[in-house]
Amino acid sequence: LALAFRHSCPRSHSCPTRRRPAASMVAEPVPMVFKTGSSAGKVKQGKITNEDVLRREVPWSAFKEKGIISKDELELMYQLVEIVQSKSVAAQAALIEMRSAEHAQLFKALLTGVNKDEVVMYILSLLDELLKQKPTLASLFHAALYESGGAIDVFEPMLKLLSRQHLFILEKTTVVLAKLLSWDHYIPPAPNPNLEAALARKLRSFAAWAVALLKNVDPQDGFDQPRVVHVLGGVQQLVSSAPGRIAFVEADGLPLLLGLMSGGHYGTHSAVQLLYVVMVVVWSLSYSPECASKLGHAAGLVPKLVDILKSVQKEKVVRVTCAALRNLVGVGSCSSDMIGAGVMKALLHLQQRKWADEDVKEDVDYLVEALEGSLKSMSSWDVYAKEVASGRLEWSPSHRSDHFWKDNYKAFEQNDGETLKQLVGCLASPDPTTLAVACHDVGELIKVHPEGRRLVAPYQAKAHAMKLLKHEDPEVQKYALTCVQRLMVINWEYLNSGS
């Protein structure tokens, strides 16, 4: 899985600030003959390569005898194997394309007529090498589908292979199918709404399968699970095209990405690698205006990107996170969401670091300049409300400013007390600094607002604060005690008024 690509592509003319993402049955009659011995151990470890598979000898003539392929298709297969093994696909591409329908029919016949793992592995490796050496050959399979009126369909048997348990078959099917389904450069000679709808369904089915499988992933396991590596590789390829991005988002992929970003502690190489690949997917999505808008509206996603920028030191993660944030500047409320989540402090820190990749510095400088303009147009309350909405609080100046509280305490009543609800919700955060700041702020509101105690009562602020009196962090205990003391005053006032 090639994950270390850069994002230094030229700007799009239509969107000058965005960076482009890199462009991701019948039983066998005769047993396979292995030139290099059994590779079962490699398969189990997920280390087998196309070269390993393509060194094997396959009895293709046996498939002709069984009627799976014709004599002409047998000759075509021998020719294709020779071209791939000699690494001359690019040079011979014109010859392959001249017989596009015949090649597509050959693969369809083999994928539907063969069940033995070793042969399916060979077919998939052959396909993968074809697309690696000449990516435009993906058009061959789209052309065959349209020109045959849907009869030559290689996509359907490949979708069925996704249910196989063999790791190499899963890996190659995922990657090859993602390349084929996400290919959007083929223009059919004439519109065919039925086939267009059929391809769209296959694309959605693949995206839904990938999302469903990844929902069961524990982010703390990182890249320790081969299936996760393979499926995320397919997702990476899928979101390299506009149709693939839309299909992934429609398959409810954004909550999945947020979950994969939020669950790990990034303390291991495996966890960091998982985070990096997830961030590459987010960045690819951010390049599409429609998907960028969806990212901006995904609850908690922008603050999480800022949190990653603050907490992860690995340059490749910082690079792709900055690139994603850059693409989101000016999209809906993303700019103010970044500011509220404390991105400016993180960016100023990043400006002091030295980077091996000059693109990181360029993106950081761009973000600082762009967001400083947004910051000037925001009031102190706007910044505070965005920070509270992010769910992650820090000791920024507003929290300890008497002027801020005296000037803005009435603002907590706006929008049906939305910011107040979010502030009390921060009392359940797993982050000790957020807990301490939230306790402090609830206490300050009660101190300056004549009705502060009454306002926080419906949200169980006292119950949350009392639990925090036993928190292991001394600073949380300190501010929780002050908060509880101010909350308890209401009880004495109530008793006195009653008597």
Side-chain angles (χ1 to χ4, degrees):
L1 184 63
L3 300 171
F5 56 84
R6 291 162 58 91
H7 62 280
S8 55
C9 305
R11 302 285 194 274
S12 162
H13 293 295
S14 60
C15 187
T17 66
R18 284 207 170 95
R19 291 193 180 278
R20 288 185 181 273
S24 260
M25 290 224 154
V26 180
E28 216 56 55
V30 181
M32 295 281 293
V33 178
F34 297 94
K35 288 186 177 180
T36 58
S38 174
S39 56
K42 284 187 175 182
V43 172
K44 190 172 290 187
Q45 297 171 34
K47 294 179 180 178
I48 194 168
T49 66
N50 286 344
E51 288 72 19
D52 292 328
V53 175
L54 295 175
R55 277 196 292 266
R56 301 170 183 171
E57 294 178 359
V58 182
W60 300 113
S61 59
F63 306 137
K64 182 186 80 67
E65 293 169 6
K66 288 291 182 179
I68 296 174
I69 58 176
S70 67
K71 179 181 178 181
D72 288 342
E73 287 170 340
L74 176 63
E75 293 301 320
L76 203 61
M77 176 54 79
Y78 284 140
Q79 184 183 78
L80 200 58
V81 169
E82 183 179 347
I83 290 173
V84 170
Q85 290 182 340
S86 64
K87 304 288 185 183
S88 59
V89 173
Q92 302 289 335
L95 292 175
I96 298 172
E97 290 166 348
M98 283 175 58
R99 304 178 68 180
S100 59
E102 294 170 76
H103 282 96
Q105 176 58 37
L106 169 63
F107 282 109
K108 177 194 172 185
L110 290 170
L111 289 170
T112 55
V114 175
N115 190 49
K116 193 172 182 65
D117 284 349
E118 287 83 354
V119 181
V120 174
M121 289 166 64
Y122 196 105
I123 297 165
L124 292 172
S125 296
L126 201 62
L127 277 168
D128 193 27
E129 283 299 313
L130 281 170
L131 296 172
K132 277 183 181 179
Q133 295 182 40
K134 189 68 173 177
T136 57
L137 287 177
S139 289
L140 179 154
F141 300 95
H142 290 263
L145 182 72
Y146 275 90
E147 291 169 10
S148 68
I152 305 178
D153 183 353
V154 177
F155 307 96
E156 198 60 36
M158 292 192 71
L159 282 168
K160 292 178 181 178
L161 290 177
L162 294 175
S163 62
R164 299 280 282 265
Q165 297 302 307
H166 194 289
L167 282 177
F168 185 86
I169 291 177
L170 176 67
E171 174 195 359
K172 289 302 164 186
T173 303
T174 303
V175 173
V176 171
L177 196 51
K179 288 178 180 179
L180 295 178
L181 287 172
S182 63
W183 185 256
D184 58 353
H185 300 291
Y186 173 74
I187 301 175
N192 189 322
N194 291 333
L195 289 178
E196 289 171 12
L199 270 175
R201 282 195 301 272
K202 296 178 197 299
L203 185 61
R204 289 195 298 270
S205 295
F206 178 77
W209 168 83
V211 169
L213 193 146
L214 291 172
K215 280 181 178 177
N216 298 319
V217 173
D218 183 349
Q220 296 191 39
D221 291 339
F223 253 36
D224 294 336
Q225 305 171 66
R227 284 179 184 274
V228 176
V229 178
H230 305 333
V231 177
L232 272 174
V235 169
Q236 229 180 294
Q237 179 65 46
L238 184 70
V239 298
S240 66
S241 73
R245 294 180 199 123
I246 293 170
F248 181 77
V249 171
E250 289 179 347
D252 206 24
L254 295 187
L256 165 72
L257 295 178
L258 185 58
L260 291 175
M261 285 189 282
S262 303
H265 299 294
Y266 321 131
T268 65
H269 171 76
S270 179
V272 170
Q273 188 66 7
L274 173 63
L275 177 64
Y276 172 63
V277 179
V278 171
M279 288 308 308
V280 169
V281 173
V282 171
W283 167 53
S284 295
L285 291 171
S286 73
Y287 178 72
S288 165
E290 181 179 347
C291 294
S293 178
K294 299 279 188 182
L295 287 169
H297 287 91
L301 194 140
V302 170
K304 186 59 191 174
L305 296 182
V306 175
D307 185 45
I308 289 169
L309 214 55
K310 295 176 183 177
S311 58
V312 180
Q313 298 297 310
K314 195 73 172 177
E315 179 167 325
K316 66 180 182 180
V317 176
V318 174
R319 181 183 72 232
V320 76
T321 304
C322 284
L325 288 171
R326 175 175 183 152
N327 286 353
L328 293 174
V329 168
V331 176
S333 63
C334 288
S335 295
S336 56
D337 290 342
M338 292 178 208
I339 292 169
V343 75
M344 296 305 295
K345 182 178 178 181
L347 291 172
L348 293 174
H349 172 71
L350 293 176
Q351 280 186 317
Q352 307 307 311
R353 283 181 59 180
K354 293 190 179 297
W355 304 100
D357 186 344
E358 61 184 18
D359 285 343
V360 182
K361 183 180 185 306
E362 182 185 337
D363 282 346
V364 170
D365 290 344
Y366 174 88
L367 284 166
V368 169
E369 183 178 351
L371 294 176
E372 279 179 344
S374 300
L375 185 58
K376 289 176 183 177
S377 66
M378 296 174 67
S379 67
S380 59
W381 171 255
D382 292 333
V383 176
Y384 177 84
K386 285 293 183 182
E387 181 184 7
V388 173
S390 77
R392 187 72 178 261
L393 307 180
E394 296 180 343
W395 288 112
S396 53
S398 294
H399 300 284
R400 286 172 165 156
S401 168
D402 291 337
H403 289 297
F404 172 82
W405 290 102
K406 289 176 182 177
D407 293 343
N408 294 289
Y409 70 86
K410 292 288 286 182
F412 281 92
E413 300 176 46
Q414 298 171 1
N415 300 320
D416 295 324
E418 182 65 25
T419 300
L420 179 57
K421 294 177 197 174
Q422 293 168 342
L423 176 60
V424 176
C426 288
L427 294 174
S429 170
D431 176 56
T433 301
T434 298
L435 292 174
V437 177
C439 286
H440 169 273
D441 287 7
V442 171
E444 287 298 299
L445 179 63
I446 294 168
K447 176 183 174 183
V448 301
H449 198 306
E451 299 293 323
R453 300 180 187 89
R454 179 183 61 80
L455 290 174
V456 301
Y459 310 123
Q460 307 299 315
K462 185 172 74 173
H464 286 299
M466 299 230 1
K467 288 181 182 177
L468 296 176
L469 292 173
K470 298 180 180 180
H471 196 277
E472 59 185 13
D473 189 292
E475 188 179 43
V476 175
Q477 292 180 12
K478 170 186 169 183
Y479 287 105
L481 179 60
T482 302
C483 181
V484 169
Q485 287 172 338
R486 291 177 177 172
L487 283 163
M488 294 295 286
V489 172
I490 186 65
N491 294 329
W492 293 108
E493 288 179 354
Y494 175 78
L495 291 172
N496 288 337
S497 64
S499 59

